[in-house]
Amino acid sequence: MPKRIFTFRRGAADRTADASEALGLKGANLALLASLDVPVPPGFTLATSVWREVQSGGDGLPQELRADLRMAIEWLEGVTGRGFDGDTRPLLLAVRTSARAQMPGLAESVLDVGLNDRTVDILAAELDDPAFAYRSYRRFIESYAHLVLAVDPAEFEDIADAEAAEAGWTEEPGDRAGWRALIARYQTYLDAEIGAVVPQTPLEQLSAVIEAAYATWRSPLATSHRLIQGIPENAGLAITAHAMIFNEHDHNSGTGRAVSRDLTTGESRLSGEFGLVAPRAREIGEKPPVLDLGTLSAGDAERFPADMAELTEHVRRIEAHVGDVVEVDFMVGDGELFLMQSRVARRTAGEAIRIAVQFVDEGLIDEAEAILRIDPNSLDELLHPTFERTSDLVVLGRGMPASPGAATGEIVFTSERAQELANEERPVILVRNETYPEDIHGMHVAEGVLTIRGGTTSHAAVVARGIGRPCVTGAGALRINAGTATLHAAGKVLREGDTITIDGTSGEVIEGAVPLLRPALTGDFATLMDYADRARRMRVRANTETPIEARSARAFGAEGIGLCRTEHMFFEGDRVRSMREMILASDETGRRAALEKLLPIQRSDFTELFEIMAGLPVTIRLLDPPLHEFLPQSDGEIAETASMLGVDESVVRQRIAALQEFNPMLGHRGCRLAISYPEIVETQARAIFEAAIDAGEKAGEAVVPEIMVPLVSLRKELDFVKGRIDKVAALVMDERGCEITYSVGTMIELPRAIVRADTIAEIADFFSFGTNDLTQTVYGISRDDAGNFLSTYVRQGIIERDPFQTIDVEGVGELIALAVEKARRTRPDISLGVCGEQGGDPASIAFFEQTGLDYVSCSPFRVPIARLAAAQATIRDERSRRGRARR
Amino acid sequence: MPKRIFTFRRGAADRTADASEALGLKGANLALLASLDVPVPPGFTLATSVWREVQSGGDGLPQELRADLRMAIEWLEGVTGRGFDGDTRPLLLAVRTSARAQMPGLAESVLDVGLNDRTVDILAAELDDPAFAYRSYRRFIESYAHLVLAVDPAEFEDIADAEAAEAGWTEEPGDRAGWRALIARYQTYLDAEIGAVVPQTPLEQLSAVIEAAYATWRSPLATSHRLIQGIPENAGLAITAHAMIFNEHDHNSGTGRAVSRDLTTGESRLSGEFGLVAPRAREIGEKPPVLDLGTLSAGDAERFPADMAELTEHVRRIEAHVGDVVEVDFMVGDGELFLMQSRVARRTAGEAIRIAVQFVDEGLIDEAEAILRIDPNSLDELLHPTFERTSDLVVLGRGMPASPGAATGEIVFTSERAQELANEERPVILVRNETYPEDIHGMHVAEGVLTIRGGTTSHAAVVARGIGRPCVTGAGALRINAGTATLHAAGKVLREGDTITIDGTSGEVIEGAVPLLRPALTGDFATLMDYADRARRMRVRANTETPIEARSARAFGAEGIGLCRTEHMFFEGDRVRSMREMILASDETGRRAALEKLLPIQRSDFTELFEIMAGLPVTIRLLDPPLHEFLPQSDGEIAETASMLGVDESVVRQRIAALQEFNPMLGHRGCRLAISYPEIVETQARAIFEAAIDAGEKAGEAVVPEIMVPLVSLRKELDFVKGRIDKVAALVMDERGCEITYSVGTMIELPRAIVRADTIAEIADFFSFGTNDLTQTVYGISRDDAGNFLSTYVRQGIIERDPFQTIDVEGVGELIALAVEKARRTRPDISLGVCGEQGGDPASIAFFEQTGLDYVSCSPFRVPIARLAAAQATIRDERSRRGRARR
């Protein structure tokens, strides 16, 4: 049997190699503090192995454990000079569960174990404070009954109320007799109603508390938490017991929290607060006074009941040991200082960056360490507009936080109206019941999007995240009245043109305009990004097709465009009309005529993008969605389209019906369109090449257009489309009399392309993994429909997280690794990247680093996140490689 | 330079190892016949290498070739005793292209090369028949001009008409002067209009014909044919030239076709026919007399102008050499017999089986050879009802042959009406514009299905094939008038209750009832199946869930059920009502109540199936389709459902709207339903186990139910569902006090399941590959929507065949092989099968054999096809293994 009980006291703690596994977080931390010669209350920890021993045994605690417990108590009696059930100076214990990770559902602390009808009076005499002693005893009985006997604390409130009424006191009994009567009434109740009392023997109390605390490991809340967090069921629970500090006894006592630095400035001086005990204050219903440690340490230390310099010194020592800003919980009992717990200080993303850079400047950590200390996802809050939460905000309602950031603008209810106001440069918020593909142009021109229905994977949410618009979805308490063009919320009626603010990070909808704080990549943030850029191997590009976003992507450090979705260029205004004309044309001639109209528009779009990205690669994906997404839906639009085309409405309706699909995700889209209608590819390729020449001439620096063929499953598909592109390239070069450097590659987003990656790579200059569609096809899950069952899956523990957000390493990931290996086998110099949403997800980026991809591409607003995550991935990968090499 | 020209004459032919590649089919066949000492017209073949030589050279035929040609002509002059451009007995040649496979678009034969203004008169004198000589010359000029000068034959008709009018003849000129005038007019026309004439030098004629014939290799028709058939572009064309036989000259001449056996009985005696030349008969507009060789060889041989016994002997010799029934083309010229070509005799499936069994009986071939000689797909025509094509059939229209077999019945326009008439045991044909999932019960009770819209992969087609109902789709010339409940076709109006017959093999729709011939697996067919069963390794099961089909599957030799789709049990009558009640229930209690009603129905369904399949395994797939497929669609049904459930119609409509999906194929279905609503699995498992016990008791022989969990992508999904099944099994065994042997496995139909096959196999007793859905997800193609682009793919040569019909070996196949390897790694004894439609496709079955699957499962009507295909696969696989071992 391994060692069961580990003792600790200032300056000495039993050691163990795997402290947090063997002793849990709290036990390990107390042992650490003790070994750092910081004052801690002396005590001991029952190792997690004891929990396992108890589980595998029969009822109750084994005899050997009881013997060890007795020995530990005797040791503690010696250290404290107190006695468990002693005749003077009674030893009282605080008992806590200590798991290897934070876990809800476990037993709460039980304080003052060791008090009984006898020791309560001895304690009262020792401290000369019967009220304090009896208050503690009452609390102990309540805690014990709650944990061990499962008695609802409300029962005791009722009993106390009855006793107070009979005895004529209000808050608590006024004298010892009153207290004794209350305690007696408690025990009588327990005896009569529960059939058990709180034992008088301290060791029995302790055993019962330990046993009951162990049982909470199996509570439903704790169990489901372990399932979600992947903590093994048999990890087990440690329990710490330490001598009580009488921090609530007199004016020289209290509880505090100290942080080793000022988190805002990074300056090395204590901050935090200390709450003095003030029994009188409580009696008269006031809050006990709270002292600001920052002020105290700056020279007002005499108000602190212990030695401020000593506390400062202890915290410094812990910070130096941990190598990071720490936060400690401490107590002062009768003027004596005890540190109860320490942890790395929580901080906002901004504070974390400040501290990390400061630590590098102070030479405490290196850049790699600074990089690893920042959670890339935490940067999100720095990269979107925010606003200050003042008390005068009028919240109209709440929905799902579907795409982060805050936005302010006038309410519009249609994409057409959004367009009109946007043309007048008026900021708008598009408010819809739900959005459809035809709303994409409206979403593009809007500052933000609010929908009444849908969740975080609805059309509105996915598109908004993709184009970086703040979005709130599923704000079900709001109601749109289409007839009157009004929005009904919180008893108010808002009209088109009224201003609202939405916060896609919190899901709030707020009345009126709120001043927004715009993100900037400056100061410490910029410094951290410099560290990351020096450390990372993978390149980071952005997914975007609009000039505004392309500029912001460059400002955020994007090294090119990894995904320009040309279809988004076709939804706006006149463009969608020409698109419809093309789709509804009865033959190739008609299609070519419509495409001719789209050619100059596309060329000028590309030219602008290329100028912005001068010197960098730009990956342009050919038209991808099924054509029916472009067709009119409303009666009005159908009529308009029919009159524009000079055909009967029924013709338009028939064509719409003919293009409908059962499963559009698996339908006539991607390169399948290019093969059915090669004239589309030819027009797009011409626009790209002509734009590349124009932009190169204007910007003086050429871009390298990379043309990406979507949805390839057969090499011959790519053969066909690449043939058309190369033909157009030769033509344009001939016409313009110059050379264009370009490449043709493909999106890898279908399992068949993975299997045939070797042969496809023979003619592809690059692969870009489209993790969205790849996840859909590998799982056979439609993202649009997954809401109906994925939540059940998470609840049942069948999946841990949404495979669309973070790569499914075992399934999709294994296939990507297979494709990488196959592709490099036939074409070692192939460029490999990823352009699905996972390109901006840190956990996924770690996988892409391991898989050896060359770049990731993500939405512009996630570029800094990806830069940091890529740097972390490189550092971790190198470390683990070095680690393996050493072994 | 390899040998250019290969000569042949009776008893001697230049040899080459790869005859059909070097000489083409015709050239190789003539060389074979010559070497068998069969009388053939002497001649020579230009090898395919000559074609390649000519392609790589400049214009015209190379000098070396011309020299070789001259030498060959001289050899032929010697053999025939005739002279090319000779002064007596002119040598005339028949020139034909000879490719390695039948190929449309190549040059047709050019006869009588060597005739000119001089030789025509020499020939006339030799045969004493100027009309014959000039007729031949005229034909030669027309053929030459067509092939070499691209002159439309109609031009010559016009010229001849003009000449006839001027000269006063009708059919052809009456004398030599008339003929000469006509020929002169031909040449004048060519000279004036085309700028070229037919050369007078025979060697020039020959060279020009060869050169022009070569050019036809590049004709669009030939090129696209090669693409489709996978024939290399540089395979090249051989050309044969042989001495003309004057088979059209006198009464002792003619052309015939002889078959070495009577195909109906297999008896070894000549059959076929011979057409005598009868110039007089032609002159008076009658057909020349045709003799039946069967009669002649039976003792009426004197009417045959050559030696009948000699012909019989030659044909025997060829049959013996080929080892199969042969068919020969022959000619008789002036009483002399020449065999022109031989080939394996074409036969119907029934004849082929008869012959193969006969050959085994005669000891000419072994069983394995007999098995290999029958095309499994050809059995299809023997396995479905057919009818005799008499001349009095009234064809109302034609559509796509969507599901084979013929069916007769009364017209019904709705599934409800189909049900009503079926209840009265009246056979019906369901006639719809197109079908929807709600029509499945109507299709089940109908004899056949006819739709106005859709193709061979429409809903109607796929379902009909699955359940073995004859089906014609896309009969666009027919029109349903829903208002009057009439069918308009070919100018007729048919009403509900009128009888029609459809032929799903040909696509015909016929008025009235036609007597059907029912398939039976008896006689030679049964014998062949015995051979196959002895030879094959893989087991063959059937996909079915109805008792009728299960019985027919057993009759067709199915060794169990490989796929029982339980959802099909829920579409009929009351069942769909309970299903709807279940789906529309607001909570688990409501769902359980509805499921309770379905339990006894399912149990009795399963009991009947189990009794039919006593002693054999039955694989039951849990509920698979998305629930919305069961919901009412029409207003009437919605109203009925609402009143049945006692709720408002709007509630039903809301629920229908909520269950709608963007991509149902990738939606809330398969095991995802089981995880959301475990009560469905529990009910189904209970019905299965109770039925297994009941059926075992009744039939005295237990079935082994195999419960199949669909659409698994994660091992934990299977863990969850299997847990529920095992729990119910324990419960039922406990209740009934007996043991049930059962297994739980999964359908492998998603790429992720392939990747994780090793871990899934740890808890799966079997895998059944669902190739339909697997192909959909691997390709990212919705089968319902693929019609829009797959036809373009085939036309463009991007795919060779529909991957849903025959397995895509390189993509889907490679993944299946990967899953097999992974699964056997963790569970060597796992049972592996396939239950997609490809389970009945011979080419796919060959792949499954190589992959080492244990069984295939297909629709009942394809079971014999699968048995034969599996036997062929085993034999071929063993042979190729032995072949490899030898090398």
Side-chain angles (χ1 to χ4, degrees), chain A residues 661-666 672 717 750-752 756 778-782 784-785 793 808 810 814 822, chain B residues 661-666 672 717 750 752 756 777-782 784-785 793 797 808 810 814 822:
Chain A
E661 294 186 310
F662 291 97
N663 298 289
M665 152 72 205
L666 307 175
R672 298 163 194 171
E717 291 173 324
L750 295 175
R752 198 180 188 285
R756 305 306 298 161
V778 169
Y779 270 91
I781 286 185
S782 158
D784 291 324
D785 303 310
Y793 271 45
D808 156 42
E810 290 192 338
E814 184 161 328
K822 280 179 177 254
Chain B
E661 295 186 309
F662 290 100
N663 297 289
M665 152 73 204
L666 307 176
R672 298 163 194 171
E717 291 173 324
L750 295 175
R752 197 180 189 285
R756 306 305 299 158
T777 47
V778 169
Y779 270 91
I781 286 185
S782 159
D784 291 324
D785 303 310
Y793 271 46
D808 157 43
E810 289 192 340
E814 184 161 329
K822 279 179 178 254

Side-chain angles (χ1 to χ4, degrees), chain B residues 323-324 347 349 351-376 378-379 524 527-532 534-535 868-869 871-872 875-876 879:
Chain B
D324 199 351
R347 57 205 93 171
E351 290 166 353
I353 293 172
R354 174 82 282 269
I355 303 274
V357 170
Q358 177 83 22
F359 267 49
V360 172
D361 289 348
E362 291 180 17
L364 298 174
I365 58 173
D366 62 8
E367 290 185 8
E369 187 57 34
I371 288 167
L372 293 177
R373 286 212 175 157
I374 311 296
D375 174 4
S378 75
L379 302 186
D524 294 328
T527 306
L528 179 75
M529 286 292 111
D530 286 345
Y531 299 168
R534 282 195 282 272
L868 181 60
Q872 292 187 346
I875 293 166
R876 292 206 176 103
R879 287 190 180 176

Side-chain angles (χ1 to χ4, degrees), chain A residues 17-40:
Chain A
D18 48 351
S20 63
E21 272 188 33
L23 309 179
L25 291 182
K26 286 187 205 125
N29 182 245
L30 279 164
L32 169 72
L33 295 183
S35 68
L36 289 175
D37 199 23
V38 159
V40 292

Side-chain angles (χ1 to χ4, degrees), chain A residues 686-725:
Chain A
R686 175 170 283 276
I688 292 166
F689 293 130
E690 291 181 351
I693 295 173
D694 290 351
E697 284 168 3
K698 281 194 216 172
E701 210 172 358
V703 293
V704 182
E706 302 179 342
I707 301 183
M708 181 152 73
V709 183
L711 215 72
V712 163
S713 59
L714 297 138
R715 181 194 148 135
K716 283 192 181 170
E717 291 173 324
L718 188 56
D719 276 333
F720 181 99
V721 180
K722 181 173 154 58
R724 300 290 175 141
I725 294 168

Side-chain angles (χ1 to χ4, degrees), chain A residues 603-615 687-703 736:
Chain A
R603 185 174 49 221
S604 87
D605 282 348
F606 290 137
T607 306
E608 195 172 356
L609 269 191
F610 290 165
E611 285 180 70
I612 295 166
M613 286 291 157
I688 292 166
F689 293 130
E690 291 181 351
I693 295 173
D694 290 351
E697 284 168 3
K698 281 194 216 172
E701 210 172 358
V703 293
R736 301 282 297 256

Side-chain angles (χ1 to χ4, degrees), chain A residues 306-328:
Chain A
D307 186 341
M308 192 71 200
E310 195 196 335
L311 174 62
T312 306
E313 170 53 26
H314 293 320
V315 173
R316 288 265 158 72
R317 197 176 318 141
I318 301 169
E319 182 189 278
H321 179 82
V322 173
D324 198 352
V325 181
V326 292
E327 182 177 87
V328 304

